[in-house]
Amino acid sequence: MRTVLVIEASNPSASPAEVCVARLNAAGVAVLGSERIEQGARSSDGVMVGVDRACRAAGVSPGEIDAIAVSVGPGGFTALRIATTTAKTLAMALGIPVIAVPTADVAARSVPEAHRPAIIALASKKDAAHLTLLHADGRTEPLGLRTARDLPVDAASTIVADAFLPAPLADRAAQAGMARRTLELSALACAQAAASLPETDPDALGPIYAREPDAVTQWRARHGS
């Protein structure tokens, strides 16, 4: 049995950020305490307040935490950077491992078997989104950044997305007869996904970005590299 601190703050504009403390074992996941982070609280202080309150609600001290699980994206650039940095810093301070949970694995927990195979769309921006194929058996297969032209409509019967799914992608899915489900993310789902994933050293933890940050793109454009 492991006591795990879980951070799901990957897509705060689509699903409220949340922190929980859970016990993970072969029988399943039991949430001991949770705290939702207020919309717009994107600073590290907001996440840390959530961590403190979740631990207090669970009656768990920092020394009783065995690992930290965090949803690593794709998602919002700033949100992912804050979540992963917070998880890494806490894990280093406590001398415990981390569990990197792909956000598509978190979203997959809310998709019933009857709606699989499904396409999970994350980090939508302009005309593209990062797509992951959720197979009928629950396996996830990252497909990368795709536009409507590249949507694999023959591979799935459902598309899972938030309200920001680009219109061309939404229209292409609808024309192909794909059902649409709302993207759902929670600390509980993150804990459930983490239960089957390996622990790793905090130094190896990093976010999964769907695309390079705008600041980097602009720098390349100005400096020609």
Side-chain angles (χ1 to χ4, degrees), residues 86-172:
T86 300
K88 179 181 292 192
T89 301
L90 285 172
M92 287 180 171
L94 296 172
I96 57 177
V98 296
I99 304 171
V101 184
T103 301
D105 288 10
V106 181
R109 294 282 160 174
S110 68
V111 183
E113 291 183 11
H115 290 261
R116 303 175 187 172
I119 296 293
I120 298 172
L122 296 167
S124 297
K125 187 175 182 180
K126 295 182 179 178
D127 63 345
H130 186 283
L131 305 184
T132 297
L133 175 61
L134 172 61
H135 291 273
D137 61 4
R139 291 180 298 112
T140 53
E141 178 186 346
L143 302 178
L145 203 61
R146 300 283 185 97
T147 62
R149 182 179 60 185
D150 306 315
L151 181 65
V153 294
D154 294 331
S157 59
T158 304
I159 187 165
V160 181
D162 59 25
F164 302 100
L165 183 69
L169 273 168
D171 292 344
R172 179 74 179 97

Side-chain angles (χ1 to χ4, degrees), residues 31-130:
V31 173
L32 306 180
S34 65
E35 180 71 20
R36 180 168 288 190
I37 299 171
E38 292 297 328
Q39 187 75 12
R42 299 180 58 164
S43 69
S44 57
D45 287 345
V47 176
M48 282 304 300
V49 168
V51 168
D52 179 63
R53 290 178 177 172
C55 287
R56 289 176 184 272
V60 171
S61 67
E64 296 176 285
I65 296 173
D66 299 310
I68 300 176
V70 58
S71 181
V72 295
F77 175 76
T78 300
L80 289 175
R81 184 181 62 193
I82 290 172
T84 54
T85 299
T86 300
K88 179 181 292 192
T89 301
L90 285 172
M92 287 180 171
L94 296 172
I96 57 177
V98 296
I99 304 171
V101 184
T103 301
D105 288 10
V106 181
R109 294 282 160 174
S110 68
V111 183
E113 291 183 11
H115 290 261
R116 303 175 187 172
I119 296 293
I120 298 172
L122 296 167
S124 297
K125 187 175 182 180
K126 295 182 179 178
D127 63 345
H130 186 283

Side-chain angles (χ1 to χ4, degrees), residues 1-7 19-25 29-33 54-55 58 60 64-70 96-99 101 187 190-192 194-195 197 199:
M1 181 179 293
R2 296 178 294 171
T3 300
V4 180
L5 173 67
V6 184
I7 302 172
V19 177
C20 80
V21 177
R23 288 219 171 99
L24 280 56
N25 58 31
V29 173
V31 173
L32 306 180
C55 287
V60 171
E64 296 176 285
I65 296 173
D66 299 310
I68 300 176
V70 58
I96 57 177
V98 296
I99 304 171
V101 184
C190 188
Q192 292 170 334
L197 294 174
E199 297 176 348

